[in-house]
Amino acid sequence: MRHTLPLAPQFYVTAPQPCPYLDGRMERKLFTALQGEHAQLLNDTLSKQGFRRSQNVLYRPSCAECSACMSARIRVADFKPSRTHKRILRRNAALKRNATSPWATEDQFALFRRYLDYRHAEGGMADMDIFEFAAMIEETPIRSRVIEYSESEGKGPAEVSAVSLTDVFDDGLSMVYSFYDPDLAGRSLGTFLILDHIEIALAAGLPFVYLGYWVPGSKKMGYKAGFTGLEIFKAGQWQKMGDPTDHHAELHPLSVEPIAEQVAKISLPDGRTPKDMPTNLPPPRATQE
């Protein structure tokens, strides 16, 4: 009798395209579909190995000339807020949090468009319409939440000031994508959202907050190094970041393993190795952090 594995995803690699983090470099992604009854288990397992979710796809950078993009997470038990963090918390103390199901609204999209125009006007997400935005929020096969932050002046209705699309893992929270009112940029809302997710994770007994990728040499990603308790996924394991300047060797071509070796080292929930079928395909729509 022939048996098939319940968890045997096929992995693919995208064609190279310009890197959004480092000028003059090309990026490539290794990805697999996230679907079916085992989607949550697969997502939890691969996220612990540096993968990120974009709708129903799990992906990880697999560039030919560098391995600079490293998944980052905060070990919440080791996090100690700095003086700056405490000021940011006080500055935004009036914001009220509301966690809802992953359902897109027109108010969210309007805020999202304003944020893109302010922060990523030239990025790959700049042309997203309301239908693509709804897909980003709603097409999730795992436990996801939309967390809105709002404040109300007087008796008027509360206006949404910031939003985070957040996945719930078995060991933490993953901030898939967040955006905020650019008129409130002086209140450091991006940092505040991370600080509040640390509080949510602590209250829920979850040990980690996953932040996406940290990239040495990228000013856009530099803020993540400012959080204590930060770990990065490097050389197949999670480790303390230490001095950020110690990681620039990952910008060298010899830091990259061949695709077949990368795939062979991926662990699946049933302990087996995945099927290796790399081929050039259009890239999944990855969020810009």
Side-chain angles (χ1 to χ4, degrees):
M1 181 180 293
R2 184 176 179 179
H3 297 276
T4 58
L5 296 177
L7 285 167
Q10 294 179 338
F11 286 80
Y12 304 90
V13 64
T14 65
Q17 62 178 1
C19 175
Y21 304 121
L22 298 173
D23 293 337
R25 292 180 178 266
M26 302 296 289
E27 73 163 359
R28 192 176 61 180
K29 293 185 178 73
L30 181 69
F31 70 97
T32 188
L34 183 63
Q35 57 192 5
E37 60 179 315
H38 299 289
Q40 184 72 52
L41 183 59
L42 182 64
N43 184 75
D44 290 351
T45 302
L46 293 191
S47 294
K48 295 169 188 173
Q49 299 171 71
F51 281 79
R52 293 280 287 170
R53 183 182 71 83
S54 177
Q55 295 173 228
N56 59 354
V57 168
L58 284 172
Y59 71 93
R60 186 173 75 182
S62 180
C63 304
E65 297 183 355
C66 80
S67 57
C69 293
M70 290 173 276
S71 188
R73 69 184 185 184
I74 296 171
R75 183 183 292 274
V76 299
D78 295 336
F79 172 74
K80 304 296 181 186
S82 65
R83 291 182 179 178
T84 299
H85 291 153
K86 291 177 181 178
R87 285 198 298 269
I88 292 171
L89 287 170
R90 290 194 297 268
R91 195 180 303 157
N92 295 286
L95 287 176
K96 299 188 182 301
R97 179 204 311 146
N98 180 39
T100 68
S101 299
W103 187 256
T105 68
E106 292 184 0
D107 287 343
Q108 291 171 8
F109 180 68
L111 183 64
F112 173 74
R113 287 305 324 169
R114 292 178 59 209
Y115 174 80
L116 285 185
D117 292 341
Y118 163 74
R119 188 77 182 268
H120 298 296
E122 304 297 327
M125 301 177 70
D127 61 346
M128 284 183 68
D129 60 26
I130 191 169
F131 301 104
E132 292 172 311
F133 173 77
M136 181 181 76
I137 298 294
E138 298 173 9
E139 289 185 9
T140 169
I142 66 168
R143 293 179 61 199
S144 301
R145 298 290 185 272
V146 169
I147 304 180
E148 296 182 342
Y149 297 83
S150 60
E151 56 188 346
S152 178
E153 296 183 2
K155 298 181 179 180
E159 292 187 3
V160 177
S161 300
V163 176
S164 176
L165 174 61
T166 302
D167 287 347
V168 183
F169 297 166
D170 59 358
D171 71 342
L173 303 176
S174 175
M175 300 181 70
V176 177
Y177 192 73
S178 58
F179 51 96
Y180 54 82
D181 185 345
D183 292 340
L184 303 178
R187 289 168 53 174
S188 303
L189 285 179
T191 298
F192 170 74
L193 294 184
I194 295 175
L195 294 171
D196 192 63
H197 275 68
I198 293 173
E199 292 188 9
I200 297 172
L202 278 171
L206 297 171
F208 301 109
V209 173
Y210 289 78
L211 300 181
Y213 295 108
W214 174 74
V215 185
S218 171
K219 293 182 179 180
K220 190 184 299 184
M221 296 288 104
Y223 70 93
K224 296 180 183 180
F227 289 86
T228 55
L230 193 70
E231 300 180 344
I232 54 173
F233 188 77
K234 180 179 179 181
Q237 62 182 349
W238 288 99
Q239 54 188 272
K240 293 182 179 179
M241 169 175 277
D243 187 344
T245 62
D246 291 340
H247 302 286
H248 285 276
E250 280 64 38
L251 297 171
H252 194 280
L254 294 183
S255 67
V256 183
E257 293 181 329
I259 289 288
E261 292 183 19
Q262 294 179 38
V263 174
K265 292 180 179 180
I266 296 173
S267 299
L268 296 178
D270 57 8
R272 300 174 186 256
T273 55
K275 295 181 179 180
D276 179 9
M277 292 187 62
T279 184
N280 287 343
L281 294 174
R285 169 90 75 162
T287 54
Q288 291 178 300
E289 302 170 64

